[in-house]
Amino acid sequence: MLCKLLGFVLAVAGILSVGESHAAVVAPEGAAYRAIVIPDSAPDSVRLGASELARCLRQAGLGELAIVREQDAPRERPLIWLGDTALSRSHGIVADDFATDEFIWQTTEDGLIITGKDYAGEAIVWFQHPWTEQQVYNRELSLGAFGSAGTLQGVYRFLMKFCGVRWYWPGADGEVIPVLEHLAIPELNRRQRPAFAYRFPFFCDFADSADDALWFKRSGNGGRAPLAINHSMHLLVRHEAPDSAFFALVDGERDSIKRFCAATGIGEPCLSNPEVIAKAVEIICGYFAANPEQEVFPLVPSDGLTRICECPACQAQLDDRDPELGRFSNYVWGFVNTVAREVGRQYPDRLIGCIAYEKYLMPPSKVELAENVAVQLCKNRGAFGVAPYHDRVSAAIEAWSGRTENLYIWEYYLASTPPWRGFPVFFPDNIAADLQYLHRQGVKGEMIEAESWFGVAEPCPKYMMCPGTQHLNLYLTSQLYWDPEQNVDELLAEYYVLFYGPAHEPMRNFWEFARKLYQEDVKASLQGVSDPTNLEKISPLLGYSPEAMQTLSGYLSAARDLAPADSVYCRRIETIGHEFAQAEKLYSRLSRKSNPVLKIGETANVPERLVTTEGAAAQPPTWFTLEADGGNLFFRIACFEPEMSGIKANITENDDPGMWQDDSVEIYLAADPGNGENCVQLVISASGKIVQYRYSREFPYGLKETSCALTPRVIREANRWLVEIAVPHAVWGFVPGAEKEFKMNIFRTRRIHSGSSSCWSPIVGSRYYEPESFGSVILQEKLEP
Amino acid sequence: MRLLGSIALIAVMGFGLPAQELSLKLPEEDMASAIPSQFYPGGLELWDQVWLIVGQPNAYNRRDRALIRVDLRRWLMAGEVGKIHLTWQYVPYGFTDRRELEISLLRQEEEGFDVYSAYVRPADLLSSWQVDGSEGAQSYRLDLTREANRALSAGRGSIAVRIRDCYSDEYGNPGARVQMVGIIANSIMLKVEE
């Protein structure tokens, strides 16, 4: 590819050498284009396309082309015609017949036509994250993630193909515009559409960053409308009485508010209840009536679904043939399907969507899916190095692709989440192979959950997180959405040269080494990890050796030496270097990390202080003491607080799953000193209320106890709030006398200002439930029961 | 040697404690004698004794400072302490006039007691300590009640004081002579009325 690129540059130079007197873009018959013409009432995306085209041609040294409306078009030819014009129609081009984002390049005697289907209405948004106006629409640019923008995509692909323009990351520093000074356009009559109709990498909020919104489009992303498939059961239950049969029955109680079934949400409904089905149909039909531009409505259980309704009709739908990935499939998909059939009578062209996820990831065994059911399968191609996981996902995709025409993917690119932030997690071969496979399986598109603003104070603008280390996966993915058969090595070869200029050799080494590291070395180390998709729970130490970190650092240093100071190449390398420095710092900390050990007797010990989740001194301070006798552990936790009037203590009842949304402390206790996975979590609000969860391999997101019998005491003073609680050993399965050691961690969640977390034993990821990081408590004397 | 004579004097002094007082010996890691490039946890060993040095312990212009950290964690849950004093025995050596020593409270004392930075960290003047060089071994009592309770109120588990010799800090060591105040490390006691 490098040869091709050099050839391209030499060809331009050759053209220059024969004595062209004016910089220009030249039509096939040899005349220079004179202006860019847009329809008199051009949609915003076509106007944007015109300004982008004029700007890039100017910056490429190809002269200034004025943008004129069709009615003002000059008589002289040739011209560049953008959008749905009389000229395009006279050539039989019917834009409405085009697919979303499809476009055509056609040269005629009047000039070059670039047009496609262009949406001209209001912003297409959904009412829930991550498809709200904040996330998918930029008012400054009048640019949305959704709505066909065929002409705009035609312009961008034109600039990429004929002018060599590239957009590797958001903003001016991510843009490459080669200086050409002369460009001859060949005869063209080419229609092009993306291989995947729906392309939504979610890495920014459009409203916060015009640069990021532009990069989204420049990279070729978009879709007709949001495929808004996300957790949505709260939409069904939010107006129901708490004791209503609308809610799932769990241990004799209704699952209203208390989250017996799922880790999130406001209670799960009984999906066999005909009233629930009728309510879902009513809500969905009402929504489609009011929002004709939308094409899908979600019916998705809340996150962390571990139990379902215990009424006979619901229980009859359990499928134990695949307890991990299919136990709830008949239950969830049966409900989705029933509602879809009903909605389909009124709105046959709309979809009812659900994610294939958790215990309903596999297709149902007893349900014939209706044509208007959309399935969005959740997976992580970055973890495909782990063969059993890859095999499992492939089996699921193949099972689904035979059951529905509406198969989509929910993908995760979350390497900007701690503890991987700043590491060059790079898996181009996984991306290419997977997109080729998905295309063959008939998958229509995907969303990528690529945002992570964890650890950044709120409110803050939502830009691409860690563009230096994240951009390349996103760039390649976006390109392959259009043609998954593109050669990744060729794309990378031109990237190294174009993006890093004189420093391309060491930067090529950097990225190629990162590629090998993640796809081979990290892969090898992940083989034994139970959930290779959950990066936040996996230490980078598993795959990155100290020597590897030094090698990466060395390549960056060599690149810095070659890039002229203040050059754009230098700034790009510094952006990557700055992010990698964070990774090095974290790596150093993780290398030194050892979990704390607390030795206690029956008398009060010296207080232990909480630190930040990364192990640094935490402010304001929090201290705890722990004592034990034969029946209980006794905790005293002092949360110092300079702004006591600002603490959040709104929870008024025990067992409220939203306890952690208050200022709160959390205690994790695991009786087995060799394995913290099976543990009890107590969350105590500053209001004095408590909720209790149980964790295990089966319930990694916690199973809420229906009624916590513990009685914490919270004392508020002028400068702090204190928690005192006795925890009977029986609550967490500890047998005094048998054991002298157990696992523990303690957290404080502070809600004032931007909020902060502190803990006794620092964690690697972002979830508090991290058994590997629990500290040890050693009883110095054996307790008598 | 006058210094050795002073040590012998201390050995026979003894201390009588009021009944309500809790007397605690500070652990070695909570005290240090420091110069800009070195520190000695627990103090500097000289003449078979461990000392915290303030001033010039030899012919060079060292300008040693002493650092003492007080662990307050055992009173954190109670949130305050009745009275808290720090006491120590000291011996002036190499000068016969009066020297002013400055005792400062390090700002925002945190858990990590880093004597490298403590030597130069921002500090607030706590008291001025006049040392008469013509006297032998003497004792000093520093009231830290207010400072300790402020720290406890803010949830800080320790405070630290720094002691410096104003003369040597201002004039250096013009005569290239030992001129110092030696604080006897194992005499440093924390006396608390809970």
Side-chain angles (χ1 to χ4, degrees), chain A residues 131 141 174 186 216 225 268 287 292 360 399 453 558 689 769:
Chain A
W131 303 276
L141 296 169
F216 179 98
E268 296 302 288
Y287 185 79
Y360 45 101
W453 296 283
K689 301 303 174 187
Y769 173 65

Side-chain angles (χ1 to χ4, degrees), chain A residues 10-38:
Chain A
L10 290 172
V12 172
I15 292 166
L16 288 173
S17 70
V18 298
E20 286 290 337
S21 55
H22 300 292
V25 187
V26 177
E29 66 275 15
Y33 291 107
R34 295 172 177 275
I36 299 168
V37 181
I38 59 174

